Amino acid sequence: MTRLTILEYPDPRLRTIAQPVDVVDDGLRSLIDDMLETMYASNGIGLAATQVNIHRRLLVVDVSDDHDQPLALINPEVVEREEVDVTQEGCLSVPGIFDDVERARRIRVKALGRDGQPFEMRAEGLLAVCIQHEIDHLEGKLFVDYLSELKRQRIRKKLEKERKLRAEGHPAARPKAPAI
C-alpha cells in the first residue's frame, strides 16, 4: 500500500467536482486500500478521493476506536436526511482547525461497495456527519465553507504561516484529535 499526499486548503484542486466511478476493479480497490492507509496514518476518520487529488466519487470512512470497521462508498448519494445537529468538525485538508457545522443527525445513503455491488445504509451520529463531510468534498465543498468569511480568512492565514514554518524546517504542531 502507498501513503498518498493530502491536499490542503486553500489548494484549488479541492474545489474540483468528482466524476462518477464507472468500473469497480482491482485498481480501484487498491486505491481504496491506499486511501485507508493514508487516513489512518493521518489520524483521520474519513477521506474523499478529491483530497488526494483523484477526482472520482469515492470515499472511505472508519469511525471505530480500533480502526477495524473500514467502509468504502463508491458513487455515494444521500437519499434521506433526518433532524439537524451542530457538531464540531475538523478536516485532514484543513489541519488543526475545528469548528461547529450543522449537519443531518441521521441519513440514508446509497452507494456501491468495494465489491461493486449497490447497497443502502442508514447512518447516525459521527458516521452520518463523516459521510456528509466526505460527500461535500466530492462536490468541491469544504467544511470551512459553512463558516463566515472572516473565519475562513483567519484559517487561510494560519495554515499559510504553518506551511511556511514547515518549509523552513520548523515542525508545525498537528492535532491529536481525529479529523474527518
Side-chain angles (χ1 to χ4, degrees):
M1 289 189 279
T2 303
R3 196 175 298 171
L4 306 169
T5 301
I6 298 173
L7 301 177
E8 291 186 7
Y9 177 76
D11 191 310
R13 294 172 291 180
L14 289 167
R15 301 302 185 171
T16 304
I17 297 174
Q19 298 301 307
V21 171
D22 296 322
V23 177
V24 178
D25 57 13
D26 288 341
L28 189 73
R29 284 184 279 277
S30 178
L31 174 59
I32 289 168
D33 293 340
D34 292 345
M35 287 175 61
L36 285 165
E37 178 177 330
T38 302
M39 179 186 75
Y40 292 138
S42 302
N43 198 31
I45 58 172
L47 185 67
T50 300
Q51 292 176 272
V52 293
N53 201 30
I54 297 171
H55 304 289
R56 306 299 305 272
R57 295 192 66 78
L58 167 65
L59 63 90
V60 296
V61 297
D62 186 346
V63 298
S64 68
D65 291 334
D66 297 324
H67 304 297
D68 61 356
Q69 296 174 27
L71 183 62
L73 288 91
I74 302 163
N75 299 331
E77 179 186 350
V78 176
V79 294
E80 186 178 318
R81 300 174 198 277
E82 296 177 13
E83 298 185 35
V84 174
D85 204 0
V86 175
T87 57
Q88 186 147 108
E89 291 186 23
C91 181
L92 295 175
S93 291
V94 191
I97 306 298
F98 297 87
D99 213 316
D100 291 338
V101 177
E102 192 174 278
R103 302 266 187 199
R105 182 179 295 183
R106 285 184 292 280
I107 61 171
R108 185 168 53 94
V109 63
K110 67 179 186 177
L112 300 177
R114 86 181 270 136
D115 60 1
Q117 296 302 308
F119 72 94
E120 283 193 23
M121 64 177 281
R122 291 193 177 278
E124 62 181 71
L126 183 58
L127 180 58
V129 168
C130 188
I131 290 170
Q132 291 171 88
H133 177 108
E134 300 310 331
I135 288 175
D136 273 357
H137 277 296
L138 301 179
E139 297 299 328
K141 189 171 186 175
L142 298 164
F143 93 97
V144 296
D145 296 341
Y146 292 93
L147 308 178
S148 71
E149 179 60 30
L150 179 61
K151 281 187 177 182
R152 283 195 302 275
Q153 288 175 4
R154 287 181 181 159
I155 290 166
R156 188 177 296 117
K157 286 179 184 178
K158 178 181 179 183
L159 293 177
E160 287 170 357
K161 181 179 177 181
E162 286 181 6
R163 276 192 285 277
K164 183 179 177 188
L165 288 172
R166 281 197 314 264
E168 294 172 353
H170 302 7
R174 292 296 182 175
K176 298 298 179 200
I180 298 176

